């Protein structure tokens, strides 16, 4: 070996020793960072990978170190960098040795214009993405709830009757207080419309208005829906669900038929509302809440309390602000305007060229007692418009569309036994609900068997 070759080998040995020294210096630094790092030369030989690379990817060291990336992961980002010599930044990738996702960035390595190899840096995103997906699911749930928001304002309420004008003024006065409001009145008087108006005239009108029909659910379902639950809190809880008390925290929660809740559940709700915290089922973490409550019922609050259908705590929580929604039969002056509103609505829906209604027809509709209130009036007008053959609605058409022959009865309160039976069943089901539990309660109240109730429902097409 000549002197030149010896000097060259000494130089190479010196360079290798220098590189090893630098690597020993840099390795501890690379091991301290949270990201995973993998480095290879221009030919794809893997030179280095820190422990976090193996930890985040789930790949074993013997599967990568001293291997060639073209052999062990030919479809990966590192191979793409070697081929293109272009950087790839913030690519979401599935880590090959683990169920999960990562942000991967890859960079070509140059020195003095020479291509030396490539490096990839991976950051674990599984937790971040999981949180993001949960948030998106909850946002979807929120969107579904918000679709059920308020649309009626005070100007939508027909109120020529002095009592109704007083009621509308009271609604405006109560809108901006945080105290609960009770709406009581017969079925069909429009309690939900008044609840929406209270919300939309309040300072919370840019937050959700959530209506919840307490009569539609079992006691257990009510608690799940109002309080929410954590994932795996019970066998069916496949994911965390936010309760309505929490969702309505900055808005209004309208509890329809609140008297259908068990006394124990009523008390739990009042506890949460007065303490301004809720705990999801399966969690001990208190979550701050402050929803505004509007509650409704078909019977007066005091009467329900005296009959044991409202708990002590709920009664005292609600009693300060109660509004009585008067029945339609006591709003004679409002009926012509309501008829006009509903005719306009249904002639557009059914494509009917209706231009008006006769005074005689309006007179009949005004004299009718409307036991089903505005809901019944709306259904009758729908039937009238659907059956109209002429541009002007006649007295005869109105009589034909009423539940019984109005023209032959001097006293509208009189009706056939079948009509009275049908009305009694309908009212009982409206009060107790159409669930199996509600039907059992309705049958008990009507003093008939459940089988008889079902037969009558089929007979009267209820």
């Amino acid at each position: 070996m000549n002197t030149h070759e010896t000097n060259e080998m000494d130089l190479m040995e010196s360079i290798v020793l220098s590189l090893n020294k630098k690597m020993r210096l840099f390795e501890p630094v690379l091991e301290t960072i949270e990201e995973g790092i993998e480095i290879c030369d221009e030919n794809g030989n893997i030179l280095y990978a820190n422990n976090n690379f193996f930890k985040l990817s789930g790949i074993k060291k013997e599967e990568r170190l001293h291997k060639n990336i073209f052999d062990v992961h030919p479809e990966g980002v590192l191979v793409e960098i070697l081929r293109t010599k272009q950087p790839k930044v913030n690519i979401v990738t599935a880590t090959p040795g683990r169920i999960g996702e990562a942000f991967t960035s890859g960079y070509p390595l140059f020195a003095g214009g020479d291509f030396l190899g490539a490096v990839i840096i991976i950051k674990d995103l599984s937790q971040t993405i999981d949180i993001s997906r949960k948030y998106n699911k909850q946002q979807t749930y929120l969107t579904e709830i918000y679709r059920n928001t308020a649309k009626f304002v005070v100007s939508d309420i027909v109120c020529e009757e002095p009592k109704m004008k007083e009621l509308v003024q009271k609604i405006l006065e109560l809108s901006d207080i945080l105290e609960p409001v009770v709406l009581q009145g017969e079925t069909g008087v429009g309690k939900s419309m008044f609840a929406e108006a209270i919300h939309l005239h309040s300072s919370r009108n840019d937050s959700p208005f959530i209506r919840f029909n307490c009569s539609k659910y079992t006691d257990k379902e009510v608690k799940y829906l109002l309080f929410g639950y954590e994932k795996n809190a019970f066998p069916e809880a496949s994911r965390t669900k936010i309760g309505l008390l929490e969702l309505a925290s900055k808005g209004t929660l309208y509890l329809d038929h609140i008297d259908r809740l068990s006394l124990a559940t009523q008390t739990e709700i009042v506890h949460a509302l007065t303490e301004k915290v809720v705990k999801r089922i399966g969690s001990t973490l208190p979550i701050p809440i402050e929803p505004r409550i509007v509650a409704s019922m078909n019977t007066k609050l005091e009467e329900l309390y005296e009959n044991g259908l409202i708990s002590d705590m709920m009664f005292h929580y609600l009693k300060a602000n109660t509004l009585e929604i008067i029945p339609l039969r006591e709003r004679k002056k409002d009926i012509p305007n309501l008829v006009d509103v509903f005719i306009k609505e249904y002639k557009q829906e059914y494509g009917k060229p209706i231009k008006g209604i006769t005074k005689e027809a309006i007179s009949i509709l005004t004299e009718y007692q409307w036991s089903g209130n505005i809901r019944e009036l709306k259904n009758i007008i729908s039937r009238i418009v659907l059956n109209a053959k002429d541009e002007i609605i006649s007295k005869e058409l109105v009589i034909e569309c009423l539940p019984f022959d109005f023209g032959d009865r001097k006293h509208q309160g009189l009706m056939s036994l079948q009509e009275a039976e049908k009305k009694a069943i309908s009212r009982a089901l409206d009060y107790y609900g159409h669930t199996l539990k509600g039907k059992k309660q309705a049958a008990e109240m009507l003093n008939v068997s459940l089988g008889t109730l079902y037969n009558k429902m089929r007979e009267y097409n209820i």
Side-chain angles (χ1 to χ4, degrees):
M1 185 179 294
N2 60 39
T3 304
H4 175 73
E5 290 176 338
T6 302
N7 289 338
E8 191 175 273
M9 287 187 64
D10 289 342
L11 178 62
M12 289 295 297
E13 184 178 352
S14 176
I15 291 171
V16 170
L17 289 172
S18 177
L19 287 172
N20 287 336
K21 184 176 180 180
K22 288 179 180 179
M23 283 302 297
R24 286 197 301 272
L25 178 64
F26 289 132
E27 275 190 38
V29 176
L30 296 176
E31 292 296 339
T32 61
I33 64 176
E34 293 181 356
E35 291 81 2
I37 294 176
E38 186 179 32
I39 304 171
C40 68
D41 65 17
E42 72 275 20
N43 296 314
N45 298 310
I46 299 169
L47 304 176
Y48 172 79
N50 68 355
N51 284 325
N52 275 338
F53 172 83
F54 298 109
K55 181 179 178 182
L56 292 174
S57 67
I59 299 170
K60 296 178 181 179
K61 288 185 178 182
E62 57 268 25
E63 294 174 352
R64 281 298 169 92
L65 292 181
H66 312 300
K67 304 285 185 181
N68 191 288
I69 194 66
F70 287 96
D71 296 328
V72 296
H73 198 198
E75 304 300 325
V77 174
L78 198 54
V79 168
E80 187 175 353
I81 302 299
L82 291 174
R83 284 173 174 162
T84 65
K85 299 181 176 62
Q86 296 294 322
K88 300 285 287 184
V89 181
N90 290 341
I91 307 300
V92 178
T93 60
T95 53
R98 175 185 176 196
I99 297 175
E101 288 158 309
F103 255 156
T104 300
S105 294
Y107 303 92
L109 300 176
F110 291 94
D114 296 326
F115 179 59
L116 303 180
V119 59
I120 61 167
I121 302 170
I122 64 173
K123 183 175 182 178
D124 183 29
L125 277 190
S126 58
Q127 185 176 10
T128 304
I129 291 174
D130 187 47
I131 291 170
S132 174
R133 285 173 176 162
K134 286 180 180 177
Y135 175 75
N136 288 335
K137 286 180 182 178
Q138 290 172 353
Q139 285 299 104
T140 302
Y141 179 55
L142 281 171
T143 301
E144 292 171 359
I145 292 292
Y146 288 2
R147 286 177 186 155
N148 200 25
T149 194
K151 59 182 178 179
F152 291 108
V153 294
V154 160
S155 59
D156 295 317
I157 300 172
V158 174
C159 56
E160 291 297 320
E161 198 69 46
K163 287 183 180 178
M164 285 299 295
K165 290 181 178 180
E166 292 175 13
L167 183 61
V168 166
Q169 183 58 41
K170 189 68 175 175
I171 283 174
L172 292 173
E173 293 171 5
L174 291 175
S175 290
D176 263 331
I177 67 169
L178 287 178
E179 297 297 317
V181 174
V182 171
L183 302 173
Q184 52 193 32
E186 298 176 7
T187 297
V189 295
K191 294 185 286 293
S192 63
M193 182 188 224
F194 287 94
E196 291 182 18
I198 289 171
H199 173 74
L200 286 177
H201 286 278
S202 75
S203 59
R204 297 182 164 218
N205 56 18
D206 59 348
S207 296
F209 172 86
I210 300 174
R211 63 169 59 84
F212 181 70
N213 189 335
C214 303
S215 67
K216 286 187 175 181
Y217 305 96
T218 65
D219 203 46
K220 182 185 291 186
E221 289 170 338
V222 166
K223 290 180 182 179
Y224 292 162
L225 291 168
L226 290 182
F227 292 91
Y229 50 80
E230 294 292 337
K231 183 178 179 180
N232 299 324
F234 49 90
E236 297 82 10
S238 58
R239 65 180 178 90
T240 295
K241 187 166 186 179
I242 300 175
L244 298 184
L245 287 166
E246 189 178 342
L247 286 174
S249 184
K250 299 299 181 183
T252 302
L253 179 58
Y254 172 42
L255 298 173
D256 191 18
H257 298 296
I258 195 170
D259 51 302
R260 309 295 177 83
L261 301 175
S262 71
L263 299 184
T265 299
Q266 290 180 33
T267 300
E268 283 186 57
I269 292 170
V270 176
H271 271 302
L273 293 170
T274 53
E275 294 174 7
K276 297 184 179 181
V277 294
V278 68
K279 294 178 182 177
R280 296 177 190 162
I281 296 168
S283 172
T284 58
L285 178 67
I287 300 170
I289 60 166
E290 197 175 2
R292 199 277 178 83
I293 299 296
V294 177
S296 69
M297 53 203 68
N298 294 343
T299 309
K300 290 184 177 182
L301 178 64
E302 291 82 1
E303 185 178 336
L304 291 169
Y305 177 60
E306 290 169 0
N307 288 318
L309 296 174
I310 294 289
S311 70
D312 287 340
M313 287 190 68
M314 184 63 79
F315 176 71
H316 292 294
Y317 178 75
L318 294 176
K319 69 177 182 179
N321 301 296
T322 59
L323 298 177
E324 180 75 27
I325 314 298
I326 61 176
L328 187 56
R329 59 184 173 275
E330 296 179 20
R331 298 173 58 186
K332 299 292 187 183
K333 291 182 180 180
D334 291 337
I335 290 176
N337 288 336
L338 287 167
V339 169
D340 184 56
V341 168
F342 296 145
I343 286 176
K344 287 177 180 177
E345 177 182 338
Y346 285 114
K347 78 174 186 179
Q348 182 176 358
E349 181 177 336
Y350 299 142
K352 296 278 188 169
I354 296 172
K355 294 183 177 179
I357 183 170
T358 66
K359 289 183 178 179
E360 293 82 4
I362 285 289
S363 178
I364 289 173
L365 292 170
T366 303
E367 292 177 34
Y368 187 75
Q369 289 300 296
W370 300 112
S371 59
N373 293 291
I374 293 176
R375 187 180 299 152
E376 184 183 11
L377 172 63
K378 191 172 183 178
N379 289 337
I380 292 297
I381 297 301
S382 172
R383 189 184 307 168
I384 289 170
V385 172
L386 187 62
N387 288 280
K389 301 293 190 293
D390 303 314
E391 292 181 342
I392 303 297
I393 294 172
S394 66
K395 164 188 171 182
E396 289 73 22
L397 178 59
V398 169
I399 291 173
E400 179 185 329
C401 291
L402 286 173
F404 54 84
D405 188 1
F406 179 82
D408 292 343
R409 311 273 169 82
K410 291 183 179 180
H411 302 289
Q412 194 181 352
L414 297 177
M415 62 182 75
S416 70
L417 184 60
Q418 286 181 323
E419 289 163 350
E421 190 173 57
K422 179 180 179 179
K423 192 174 292 292
I425 292 171
S426 296
R427 285 185 173 180
L429 290 171
D430 283 342
Y431 184 81
Y432 291 107
H434 287 258
T435 62
L436 178 59
K437 180 182 177 182
K439 289 170 184 173
K440 287 179 178 178
Q441 291 174 320
E444 185 178 351
M445 188 275 289
L446 294 167
N447 199 27
V448 297
S449 68
L450 184 60
T452 299
L453 177 64
Y454 274 114
N455 289 335
K456 292 293 182 183
M457 288 172 64
R458 282 192 290 270
E459 181 182 344
Y460 298 130
N461 195 29
I462 298 175

